[in-house]
Amino acid sequence: APKAPNTPRLYIFDCRLINVNRAGIERYKVTPEEVGETRFSVPCFLVVHPKGTLMWDLGIVPDDTVEARARGEQGNTTATSAAVAPVTRTLTSQLAQLGYRPSDITYFAFSHAHVDHNANANLFAASTWLARPAERAFMWQEGNTRVNRTFFESIRTSKSISLDRDEYDVFGDGTVVLKAAPGHSPGHQVLVLNLATTGRVMIAGDLYHYPQERTLKRPPPDTEFNVEQSASSRVMIEEYLKKTKTEIWIEHDFVHNATLRKSPQYYE
């Protein structure tokens, strides 16, 4: 793996996009006319710290399915839907461009276990999983239609650290923190970075899907795991952002994501 930098770096990978229809948009209490750009970006993130590495959110289509379809095969038919734009670059190839293999990664975590955030979890079975107990239980809950177990079955026995408090300081210096924000799923969390040049950034998972949910102050959708928890988490996070002067990045915000530097460029 490459030599560790002196200060943390953030790399952003292209893990594709989702085309959202009117019904899908309106479930978030906004309309296509209000949001303008209706597509969802699906990014993946690599944090490179002097003491190790962290993968955050792992895409919507597994690499083995991408490779199978490149060979003209079907691949994992439960992996995705027609709404997902074709994936042409694997997460593994984007890591390799930087000199990393999945086995080089120290830690991995995802904002939550829905299918568009952890499709490549199995690649990181040799790494340490930073897991919230409520989300872990949710992932293997019988009859749970919001997850795809084939995406993460290999990490069931991975080394893991149970995140049993609201904030977890990954490297012990305050630069990379996982913060609980439950509601969208039982153990939903956000990633807070304090970068030397860029400053404080929160990568917010699915706390919001469109920025208009935030600016128009619309309530959380009825499809949340717990609507009241989601509403409380949004209030708590907004107070936190203001108090700490932290910028929020909404992961599915296609317009904002298009403005961000993509790997091999980085933020530091």
Side-chain angles (χ1 to χ4, degrees):
K3 181 181 177 181
N6 294 325
T7 60
R9 292 179 180 176
L10 172 67
Y11 293 89
I12 305 171
F13 301 129
D14 175 16
C15 290
R16 223 45 247 155
L17 61 88
I18 305 173
N19 295 304
V20 189
N21 61 23
R22 176 174 283 274
I25 298 161
E26 291 179 347
R27 70 188 292 193
Y28 301 113
K29 306 290 182 71
V30 291
T31 67
E33 292 75 22
E34 287 174 327
V35 300
E37 174 57 70
T38 60
R39 292 174 290 179
F40 281 172
S41 56
V42 183
C44 301
F45 302 88
L46 171 67
V47 179
V48 180
H49 187 278
K51 294 182 179 180
T53 50
L54 167 70
M55 277 298 310
W56 170 261
D57 279 353
L58 305 172
I60 189 170
V61 181
D63 279 5
D64 57 5
T65 295
V66 178
E67 292 162 352
R69 290 179 176 175
R71 297 191 299 267
E73 301 168 8
Q74 183 70 32
N76 183 351
T77 57
T78 64
T80 184
S81 71
V84 180
V87 177
T88 56
R89 297 186 66 197
T90 62
L91 179 56
T92 302
S93 70
Q94 294 180 75
L95 282 168
Q97 188 178 19
L98 301 176
Y100 293 98
R101 300 165 299 177
S103 58
D104 295 322
I105 303 304
T106 314
Y107 302 108
F108 71 94
F110 31 84
S111 55
H112 61 298
H114 290 171
V115 295
D116 54 330
H117 291 265
N118 68 357
N120 283 296
N122 288 332
L123 293 176
F124 301 94
S127 305
T128 298
W129 180 18
L130 304 180
R132 295 198 175 270
E135 197 70 9
R136 185 169 190 146
F138 171 74
M139 290 166 66
W140 278 280
Q141 179 183 342
E142 288 299 326
N144 186 353
T145 60
R146 299 299 300 272
V147 304
N148 183 336
R149 289 191 188 181
T150 67
F151 288 174
F152 52 74
E153 198 62 49
S154 296
I155 69 173
R156 193 168 194 164
T157 57
S158 292
K159 181 180 178 181
S160 65
I161 297 174
S162 181
L163 309 187
D164 55 3
R165 52 186 183 273
D166 285 348
E167 294 188 5
Y168 179 76
D169 189 341
V170 179
F171 297 105
D173 61 359
T175 60
V176 183
V177 173
L178 300 181
K179 185 175 179 60
H184 183 65
S185 69
H188 183 271
Q189 59 184 346
V190 298
L191 173 62
V192 183
L193 304 175
N194 191 358
L195 302 174
T197 301
T198 306
R200 296 182 59 86
V201 173
M202 175 183 289
I203 304 175
D206 280 8
L207 185 74
Y208 302 102
H209 293 76
Y210 291 104
Q212 289 77 13
E213 295 172 71
R214 183 180 182 223
T215 56
L216 296 173
K217 302 189 184 302
R218 298 289 166 80
D222 298 334
T223 52
E224 300 288 273
F225 178 80
N226 186 312
V227 176
E228 291 183 359
Q229 263 193 337
S230 285
S232 296
S233 289
R234 287 182 175 186
V235 170
M236 177 270 294
I237 289 296
E238 292 295 343
E239 292 174 349
Y240 176 87
L241 295 172
K242 184 176 180 181
K243 179 180 179 181
T244 59
K245 295 180 172 59
T246 300
E247 180 183 358
I248 187 173
W249 290 359
I250 298 171
E251 290 186 34
H252 286 313
D253 182 354
F254 185 92
V255 173
H256 179 254
N257 182 69
T259 69
L260 298 176
R261 297 195 292 269
K262 305 302 188 300
S263 179
Q265 299 181 70
Y266 56 84
Y267 290 87
E268 62 181 354

